[in-house]
Amino acid sequence: MTEKQNVLREDVRLPAFVVRRSALDRNIADFQRFADERGVLLCPHAKTSMTPALFGRQLAAGCWGLTFASCAQLEVARRHGVRRVFYANELVGAADIRYVCGELRRDPEFDFYCLADSVPGVQLLAERVAAGDPGRPVNVLIEGGLPGGRCGVRDVGAAVEVAEAVRAAGPRLALAGVEGFEGLARNPDPARREADVRQFLGFLARIAAALDGRGLFGTGPVLLSAGGSALYDLVIEELTAVRLSRPHRVVLRSGCYVTLDWGLYAGLLDDLHRRSGSAEPTLEPALEVWTQVLSVPEPGLIILSAGRRDFGQDAGNPIALTHVRHGSAGRRSLRGAGWRMAAASDQHAHMTAPPGHGVQVGDLVALGPSHPCTTFDKWRAVHLVDDDYNVVETMPTYF
Amino acid sequence: MTEKQNVLREDVRLPAFVVRRSALDRNIADFQRFADERGVLLCPHAKTSMTPALFGRQLAAGCWGLTFASCAQLEVARRHGVRRVFYANELVGAADIRYVCGELRRDPEFDFYCLADSVPGVQLLAERVAAGDPGRPVNVLIEGGLPGGRCGVRDVGAAVEVAEAVRAAGPRLALAGVEGFEGLARNPDPARREADVRQFLGFLARIAAALDGRGLFGTGPVLLSAGGSALYDLVIEELTAVRLSRPHRVVLRSGCYVTLDWGLYAGLLDDLHRRSGSAEPTLEPALEVWTQVLSVPEPGLIILSAGRRDFGQDAGNPIALTHVRHGSAGRRSLRGAGWRMAAASDQHAHMTAPPGHGVQVGDLVALGPSHPCTTFDKWRAVHLVDDDYNVVETMPTYF
C-alpha cells in the first residue's frame, strides 16, 4: 500500500485547492435526491468546476446531463465522455457549429441542446448546420430574456417569430423547448426579487403556451429550463405547474450545490431555506484553500502564500477557517477568532489578526472562499481529501 | 505550404485571446534596449503571461533572467529551460524547498535567488535546505517592506538581524542582495506617491549600506532589486546611484512591458513619460480578445461571447476596438464610437452602443483588456497573429 500524501504534512505544494470528499459526496447525493423528489431533471451547470472527475460523480449520482456555456467547455465535456449537454447559450460561431455538427455525426449517443433568440441567429445557425452536415437536427430552445438583461427575446411575439424560423429551418433544426435564466433578475429587495423571478418564469410559461398552441414544438416532451444556484425553489414551483397540450419536463441547471462555498451561495441557501420553509437541500461548504504563513512582518499582520491568483474576491474575501502549526497535524479553528483579510495581492493574502494569534512563519492556514466559480477557475488541479486531509485523488481542471 | 488559420475568418474558436506579433516584438526589443542603455539587469516578472513561448522571446532578446512568485510558476519555468530565476517571494514551504534543492542539485547551470524577511523564516529555510541537500548555497536577498504593506523587514535593524541569520546559516545560504517592491506605495496623489517611492528605495539603499558595512554579503556583485511596471524610472534612478564598498547591479523586474494593455499600464506609461520627460520606452498594446455577437436583444444592447471568464475587470472594463462583419475581413475601428461595457457575466459582455451601430448577430468584435495579468490567466492558449490576423503560433499558457 502506498502511503497517501497529506496536505497538513506539506507533502503537496502549497497553496493547494482542496475539496473535502465527505462533504462533496453528501452534497451530490442530497441535491440529486432533492431534484428527483420534486420530479425535475437535474442538468447542472458544470462551468463552475470544469473538473471532469466531478462530472463523473454527478452523472453517476443520476443527473440527466450537464450544462455548459461555451464550445471550449463543451469540448472538454465530450473528451471526457459526457453524452448529454445542455448548451445554455446561443450557438453562433462558425468553428463552434462545425465542432458540434462533427460530434453529432460521429456519435449517435450525443444528445445536444442549444439556444436561439433571434431570426438572424436562427438563419445563421441553419446555414452553418447545413454546411456542417450533422446527419440529424440540432435541438434548439427559445431563450426568453429580461429587459436590460442579457440574451433572450423580450416578448412572446418575438419568441413566436424565432420559433417559426426554427420550424422553417427543419430538418436542420428542431424546436425542443423554452429556456431562461432567472438569476438576471437582480432587485436587491428579496421580496421584489422573488416577484420579478415569478413574473419572468410566467413569461417563459406564456412563451411555451404560445409555441405549443401553434404546434411549433418537435417530437418528444417539451423542455422548460431555468435555474441558477440561488432561486431554484421558485423555478421548480413555477415551471412544474405549467400545463401544455402535451407532456413537459423541467430541466434544472443549478450547479453550485457540488461544493457550495463560505459566502455567496451559503447565504443564498439560507435565504432559500427561509423562503421555502424547509431545510432541504442540506448542503455544506466542501472547498478550502490551504496556504502557508510567509511572514508576520508586524504584530497583527500575517502574510499568507495565496492571493487573487488563488481565490475569487468578487463575492467578498475568503474567511480564515483553520490553523495548523507547521510540523504538527493538530487543527485549530479560526472561525470567530477575529481574523480578517485586509487585502490581497496576486500571490498573497494580507490578514489582520488580534494579539495572541499564535501563528508563526511556516504555519498552515486554510481559507474558505466566498464563491466557487471564481476559485475553481484559478486552479489546474484540485486535491480531493479525506477528513484527515490525506489526498485521495488529484483532479485536473480544464478551464 | 499549409494555409494559415485566420481569426477574422473564424478558423479558430471564438472568443480568442490574441497577441499581435509586430507590437510584441517591438515591445520586447524596445524595453530590453531601454534597460541595457540604463545599465540595469532586466529580469522581468513572468507571472503575468506564464507563456513559455514568450519567456523564450524575452530571453532571446537578452534579459538576464525571469522573475516568478510561486514554486508552481518556477516549475513551469524550469520545465521550459529557464536557467536563472529570481524568486520574488519568501521561500518557506517544505515541498517548495525540496523542489528547489532538487533542481539546484540536478542542474549546475540553474541560478536561483529568493527572499527572506525574518529570523524564524531564515532558520526554517536553512533547516529545510539542509534536508534538501542542494550541494551549494541557496542565494537569499533581504526583503525590505513598507509599514502596513506586505512581506519585508520594516527597519534596518531587523534587516541586519535577518542577514546575520543568513550568514549563520552558511554554507546552506548565501546573502546576495537587497530587494523590495515599490509598487506597494499606493498614495493616490502622484507627487506623494513619487516621494514615498523614493523614500522606500532610499530605505533599501540604507539596508544595503548596513549589510555592506558589516561584511555580510557573499561573493559576487551585490544585487539590488525592485521594479514593478509603473515606477521603474524611479527605481533605475535611485538604485543605480547607490554606492557600496564593492560593485552592485540593479535587477529590474518590470514585466508588463511585453504586451502592455489598453487601460492600467497604458495610463501608467503616460505618467512615466511625463515624469521622466522622455518618450522612452515606446510600448504599445499588443493584446486583444476577439469575440462574437451572440445577440442584439434591444436596439442599443449588444451581447458578446466573452465575459469575466475571458478578461480581467479589476482595473476597469475592456474597451471596444474593432468590428468585423461576419464573412468579411474588413475591419472598422470602434474607438471613439461610443461603445461601453455596461456589464459582464461569466461568458458574456453586455455592450451599449449608439443607434446605427451597424452590428449583427455573428459579427466579430475585438476588445482591448485593461490589465494583462488578469486577462492572460484566463486562457490556456494565446494566438500570436500577424497584422492580418493570421495565426502564426498558438502559445500554451501554464497558470
Side-chain angles (χ1 to χ4, degrees), chain B residues 105-169:
Chain B
R105 197 170 55 236
R106 190 178 66 73
D107 178 6
E109 298 206 39
F110 178 35
D111 194 19
F112 177 80
Y113 302 82
C114 67
L115 309 182
D117 75 348
S118 71
V119 173
V122 168
Q123 288 166 345
L124 188 65
L125 175 62
E127 187 186 303
R128 289 177 167 178
V129 166
D133 191 21
R136 51 190 164 122
V138 172
N139 296 313
V140 174
L141 288 83
I142 304 300
E143 179 163 35
L146 279 154
R150 210 160 63 192
C151 300
V153 296
R154 302 306 199 238
D155 58 69
V156 174
V160 170
E161 285 173 24
V162 180
E164 284 170 343
V166 173
R167 160 63 63 100

Side-chain angles (χ1 to χ4, degrees), chain B residues 242-253:
Chain B
V242 169
R243 291 293 165 261
L244 301 176
S245 72
R246 39 194 289 211
H248 81 278
R249 297 302 309 263
V250 174
V251 176
L252 190 71
R253 303 196 305 276

Side-chain angles (χ1 to χ4, degrees), chain A residues 9-15 45 47-50 69-73 75 88-96 98-99 117-118 120-121 124 127-128 146-154 184 186 292-298 301 303 305 308-309 314 326-327 345-348 350 361-363 371 373-374 377-380 397-399, chain B residues 9-15 45 47-50 69-73 75 88-96 98-99 117-118 120-121 124 127-128 146-154 184 186 292-298 301 303 305 308-309 314 326-327 345-348 350 361-363 371 373-374 377-380 397-399:
Chain A
R9 215 164 50 210
E10 297 190 55
D11 295 331
V12 301
R13 182 168 289 157
L14 299 176
H45 215 313
K47 76 169 158 58
T48 291
S49 81
M50 289 310 294
S70 78
C71 258
Q73 296 166 1
E75 189 172 340
N89 209 346
E90 275 56 27
L91 184 65
V92 173
D96 293 350
R98 275 196 300 274
Y99 175 74
D117 74 348
S118 71
L124 188 65
E127 187 185 301
R128 289 176 167 180
L146 279 155
R150 210 161 63 191
C151 300
V153 296
R154 303 304 201 237
L184 291 166
R186 295 252 159 91
Q292 195 141 32
V293 177
L294 295 183
S295 183
V296 188
E298 298 174 20
L301 180 63
I303 308 298
S305 67
R308 56 179 171 239
R309 287 280 184 99
D314 59 308
H326 69 87
S345 314
D346 272 11
Q347 314 285 347
H348 302 89
H350 310 211
V361 170
D363 287 1
H371 187 184
C373 299
T374 52
D377 67 1
K378 298 190 169 50
W379 297 86
R380 295 236 170 168
T397 70
Y398 296 84
F399 284 91
Chain B
R9 216 164 50 210
E10 296 191 54
D11 295 331
V12 301
R13 182 167 290 156
L14 299 177
H45 216 313
K47 76 170 158 59
T48 290
S49 81
M50 288 311 294
S70 77
C71 258
Q73 296 167 1
E75 188 171 342
N89 210 346
E90 274 57 27
L91 184 65
V92 173
D96 293 350
R98 274 196 302 274
Y99 175 74
D117 75 348
S118 71
L124 188 65
E127 187 186 303
R128 289 177 167 178
L146 279 154
R150 210 160 63 192
C151 300
V153 296
R154 302 306 199 238
L184 291 167
R186 295 253 159 87
Q292 196 141 31
V293 177
L294 296 183
S295 183
V296 188
E298 299 173 20
L301 180 64
I303 309 297
S305 67
R308 55 178 172 239
R309 287 279 185 99
D314 58 308
H326 70 87
S345 314
D346 271 12
Q347 314 285 346
H348 302 89
H350 310 211
V361 171
D363 287 1
H371 187 184
C373 299
T374 52
D377 68 1
K378 298 191 169 49
W379 297 86
R380 295 233 171 170
T397 70
Y398 295 85
F399 284 93

